[in-house]
């Protein structure tokens, strides 16, 4: 297959119903995307897989669903009001806005813009005459810090500062402020974890690359609360746990790598990203951070409420350390789509488009196809209805059987069941495997067990 471009993946996503431009009939709202029937199923399956791995199978882990709107003091305590900003720079010639660190990284791929101070960035841009990506000139303003939080107002009086609230820029704070609630109600002993999946909002200066960086997105975050001294062990554990999860979702290991943070934020002890090789280059996918006891200490300071844990083992009191594991669900969905898409040249010289999605996360698990509509559709419809109690199931009776297989390949359906005379007479169907294109014959009564076994995560 030719190198996959982001434009190609955008087109495929639209063509097959994975992701559409947001508000498209009004000309679109930049950097907003709506998930279609296939995309929303895929994303939900990814969330279910995360839930299984990070909550269900993870010892002592609890899921919560905190509100998007939180007390404004939460964001003062977390440091977002004072420091959650990006370095903004304007091109004086064409008036476009850029993130100074990204401008430098795009100019020289070997530089990590994140590791440069504001002074170093401006010096680099001026010394190297870094061009504006839009007009090619190098005539920029100074750098200004731009806060990424979306503000809104509650109540009726908009200009009253007491009504100011923020759309959360991360889900993590919901987990921190509920630490003691969960600990008490679940009688949890440290080490234990709190995770959640939810929307986050950031007024990004340079969103783009499809759903890689958007202003509204979903995060899947998990915080492990532990005793100081055990933190580095858990940090290493979660780094590997995340990587194994990605591999189990079927991501190509050659396109995944760890990248330790060069510049740690002052409270962090250790931090590492997992990067994925997207069509536009390596990009952050997942972060694992040892946040020490910073977040809980800050909430204790700002709320005036104790965040201490009393250890039943020795009655000691302490504020736990936190190991955070954080991934964007939309970014992960994008990585999975890019990874799964392929154009295979077949022996007869034709090309087949195929999404090699792991069966556990494929939007539809099975398609039921009557070989000849006139003779086999009644049986096939009944079978589809029966299987729909257990799996997302597709039914298609239009076009040649070959064309119908191709349609299912393109949306990643791992199994196609063909209903033919053998089915009507002897209850035998053929099941075609998407990846190998091989077919096996089995009894209708065995279908459910067969599929259930194949789609296990
Ligand atoms: N609580 C820690 C935190 O939010 P982050 O590195 O800012 O850390 C975590 O975000 C993950 O969320 C990223 O690794 C990425 O997958 C996703 N993410 C962050 N900003 C995003 C955006 N604007 N659009 C889509 N996904 C984003």
């Amino acid at each position: 297959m030719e190198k996959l471009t982001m434009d190609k993946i955008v087109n495929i996503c639209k063509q097959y119903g994975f992701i559409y431009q947001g508000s498209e009939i009004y000309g679109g709202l930049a950097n907003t995307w709506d998930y279609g029937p296939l995309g929303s199923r895929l994303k939900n399956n990814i969330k279910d897989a995360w839930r299984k791995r990070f909550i269900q199978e993870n010892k002592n882990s609890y899921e919560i669903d905190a509100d998007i709107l939180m007390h404004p003091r939460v964001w003062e305590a977390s440091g977002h009001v004072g420091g959650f900003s990006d370095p903004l720079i304007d091109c004086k010639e064409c008036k476009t806005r850029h993130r100074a660190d990204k401008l430098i990284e795009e100019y020289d791929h070997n530089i990590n813009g994140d590791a440069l101070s504001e002074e170093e960035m401006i010096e680099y841009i001026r010394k190297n005459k870094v061009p504006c990506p839009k007009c090619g000139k190098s005539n920029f303003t100074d750098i200004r810090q731009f806060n990424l939080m979306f503000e809104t107002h509650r109540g009726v009086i908009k200009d009253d500062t007491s009504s100011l609230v923020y759309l959360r820029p991360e889900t993590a704070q919901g987990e921190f402020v509920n630490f003691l609630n969960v600990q008490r109600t679940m009688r949890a002993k440290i080490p234990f974890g709190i995770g959640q999946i939810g929307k986050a909002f950031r007024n990004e200066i340079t969103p783009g690359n499809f759903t890689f960086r958007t202003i509204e997105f979903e995060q899947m975050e998990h915080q492990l609360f532990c005793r100081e001294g055990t933190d580095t062990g858990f940090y290493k554990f979660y780094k590997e746990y995340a990587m194994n999860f990605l591999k189990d979702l079927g991501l190509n290991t050659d396109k995944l790598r760890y990248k330790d943070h060069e510049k740690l934020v002052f409270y962090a002890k250790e931090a590492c990203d997992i990067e994925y090789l997207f069509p536009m280059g390596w990009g952050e996918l997942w972060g694992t951070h040892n946040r020490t006891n910073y977040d809980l200490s800050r909430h204790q300071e700002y709320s005036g409420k104790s965040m201490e844990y009393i250890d039943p083992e020795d009655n000691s009191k302490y504020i736990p350390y936190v190991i955070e594991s954080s991934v964007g669900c939309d970014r992960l969905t994008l990585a999975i789509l890019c990874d799964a898409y392929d154009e295979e040249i077949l022996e007869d010289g034709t090309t087949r488009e195929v999404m090699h999605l792991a069966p556990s996360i494929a939007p539809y698990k099975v398609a039921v196809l009557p070989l000849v509509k006139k003779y086999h559709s009644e049986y096939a419809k009944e079978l589809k209805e029966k299987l729909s109690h257990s799996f997302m199931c597709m039914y298609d009776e239009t076009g040649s059987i070959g064309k119908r297989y191709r349609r299912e390949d393109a949306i990643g359906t791992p199994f196609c069941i063909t209903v033919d005379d053998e089915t009507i007479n002897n209850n035998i169907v053929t099941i075609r495997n998407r990846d190998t294109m091989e077919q096996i014959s089995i009894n209708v009564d065995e279908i459910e067990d067969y599929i259930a076994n194949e789609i296990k995560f």
Side-chain angles (χ1 to χ4, degrees):
M1 187 182 78
E2 270 178 32
K3 194 178 174 301
L4 183 67
T5 61
M6 202 55 103
D7 283 347
K8 173 112 191 184
I9 207 82
V10 173
N11 289 335
I12 288 159
C13 283
K14 175 164 183 192
Q15 183 184 349
Y16 293 115
F18 282 96
I19 304 174
Y20 313 119
Q21 167 73 69
S23 316
E24 190 179 344
I25 59 166
Y26 288 95
L29 177 66
N31 300 298
T32 63
W33 302 95
D34 295 339
Y35 286 78
L38 293 184
S40 56
R41 279 261 32 105
L42 174 63
K43 207 171 146 189
N44 281 326
N45 292 343
I46 293 169
K47 290 185 206 173
D48 287 345
W50 180 90
R51 233 175 225 127
K52 184 159 186 278
R53 192 58 63 84
F54 279 81
I55 306 291
Q56 186 180 321
E57 294 174 350
N58 199 3
K59 253 195 235 158
N60 241 355
S61 263
Y62 306 96
E63 186 177 2
I64 61 165
D65 183 6
D67 254 10
I68 287 172
L69 300 177
M70 300 178 80
H71 196 290
R73 291 275 285 166
V74 167
W75 306 111
E76 288 172 34
S78 68
H80 284 85
V81 170
F84 190 54
S85 51
D86 275 343
L88 174 73
I89 196 165
D90 287 331
C91 173
K92 286 188 190 164
E93 304 288 335
C94 69
K95 313 285 178 228
T96 49
R97 280 218 152 140
H98 308 275
R99 252 176 78 171
D101 53 341
K102 295 291 163 211
L103 199 65
I104 294 171
E105 282 174 9
E106 270 156 38
Y107 176 72
D108 183 342
H109 295 294
N110 296 316
I111 294 185
N112 176 11
D114 203 33
L116 301 177
S117 68
E118 203 175 303
E119 291 71 37
E120 285 167 336
M121 279 190 266
I122 201 79
E123 196 191 320
Y124 183 93
I125 290 169
R126 297 214 166 122
K127 202 166 141 206
N128 293 282
K129 297 199 167 28
V130 175
C132 166
K134 177 95 187 287
C135 70
K137 304 212 172 97
S138 185
N139 184 13
F140 293 102
T141 59
D142 282 338
I143 291 172
R144 281 163 297 141
Q145 291 298 326
F146 173 76
N147 194 295
L148 302 185
M149 277 202 295
F150 273 103
E151 294 179 359
T152 187
H153 293 264
R154 55 175 295 166
V156 283
I157 313 166
K158 255 197 179 165
D159 51 0
D160 177 359
T161 50
S162 67
S163 71
L164 180 67
V165 281
Y166 302 98
L167 300 188
R168 68 180 173 200
E170 62 171 12
T171 57
Q173 299 303 322
E175 289 145 37
F176 298 136
V177 301
N178 282 298
F179 156 65
L180 281 180
N181 277 337
V182 174
Q183 191 268 317
R184 284 176 190 146
T185 50
M186 303 312 288
R187 291 175 287 119
K189 284 193 194 139
I190 270 175
F192 74 91
I194 306 180
Q196 73 169 320
I197 300 176
K199 290 269 187 185
F201 302 82
R202 295 182 190 177
N203 201 359
E204 301 275 4
I205 301 167
T206 49
N209 278 322
F210 197 21
T211 52
F212 179 83
R213 181 170 285 107
T214 48
I215 52 179
E216 173 182 340
F217 55 100
E218 264 181 299
Q219 288 186 315
M220 306 193 286
E221 296 200 290
H222 181 272
Q223 319 291 332
L224 189 273
F225 299 91
C226 64
R227 191 176 196 136
E228 184 181 359
T230 62
D231 50 310
T232 294
F234 281 117
Y235 169 72
K236 287 188 184 138
F237 172 85
Y238 275 98
K239 253 175 87 167
E240 273 179 38
Y241 203 64
M243 186 61 102
N244 288 337
F245 177 69
L246 294 175
K247 288 178 187 168
D248 291 347
L249 287 178
L251 285 178
N252 181 348
T253 45
D254 294 343
K255 293 189 172 177
L256 290 168
R257 70 178 185 194
Y258 287 117
K259 188 162 177 233
D260 288 316
H261 284 204
E262 285 169 34
K263 199 175 76 175
L264 287 173
V265 278
F266 69 94
Y267 57 84
K269 193 165 150 188
E270 297 145 302
C272 175
D273 292 337
I274 296 175
E275 293 187 333
Y276 176 77
L277 187 55
F278 288 93
M280 75 287 182
W282 289 98
E284 176 193 333
L285 181 58
W286 198 306
T288 310
H289 315 119
N290 182 344
R291 302 180 66 110
T292 66
N293 60 5
Y294 175 77
D295 304 277
L296 293 182
S297 304
R298 291 277 289 189
H299 286 304
Q300 174 166 292
E301 184 188 337
Y302 277 70
S303 68
K305 301 278 178 347
S306 169
M307 285 287 162
E308 283 180 323
Y309 170 76
I310 304 171
D311 200 318
E313 303 290 319
D314 58 6
N315 281 329
S316 60
K317 261 188 177 182
Y318 58 90
I319 298 183
Y321 267 43
V322 171
I323 306 301
E324 175 176 73
S325 187
S326 171
V327 61
C329 188
D330 307 84
R331 206 176 275 188
L332 177 54
T333 306
L334 177 63
I336 284 170
L337 283 165
C338 295
D339 213 73
Y341 182 75
D342 198 9
E343 287 171 2
E344 290 176 4
I345 310 287
L346 302 177
E347 274 174 13
D348 64 2
T350 58
T351 304
R352 85 164 176 143
E353 274 187 311
V354 52
M355 279 280 184
H356 292 288
L357 294 168
S360 56
I361 53 170
Y364 285 91
K365 305 303 182 200
V366 57
V368 180
L369 316 172
L371 185 63
V372 181
K373 183 176 163 186
K374 193 167 152 195
Y375 303 118
H376 309 124
S377 60
E378 198 181 323
Y379 191 113
K381 278 180 189 163
E382 272 175 30
L383 180 61
K384 189 256 171 185
E385 228 167 87
K386 185 169 165 257
L387 293 177
S388 294
H389 292 297
S390 307
F391 317 107
M392 281 299 289
C393 200
M394 182 76 104
Y395 175 81
D396 189 0
E397 58 180 23
T398 23
S400 71
I401 192 76
K403 278 202 178 125
R404 283 181 273 160
Y405 285 152
R406 290 285 176 280
R407 280 202 288 266
E408 297 304 324
D409 290 342
I411 61 168
T413 309
F415 303 103
C416 286
I417 295 176
T418 311
V419 171
D420 56 17
D421 287 346
E422 204 31 25
T423 323
I424 311 280
N425 298 329
N426 298 317
N427 283 328
I428 301 290
V429 292
T430 57
I431 301 192
R432 173 188 178 269
N433 181 301
R434 175 199 66 202
D435 296 336
T436 62
M437 293 190 281
E438 277 167 14
Q439 306 196 8
I440 55 161
S441 298
I442 65 168
N443 193 286
V444 176
D445 296 337
E446 294 166 16
I447 297 174
E448 285 199 35
D449 284 350
Y450 177 84
I451 305 282
N453 192 43
E454 293 288 327
I455 63 171
K456 258 196 221 139
F457 178 70

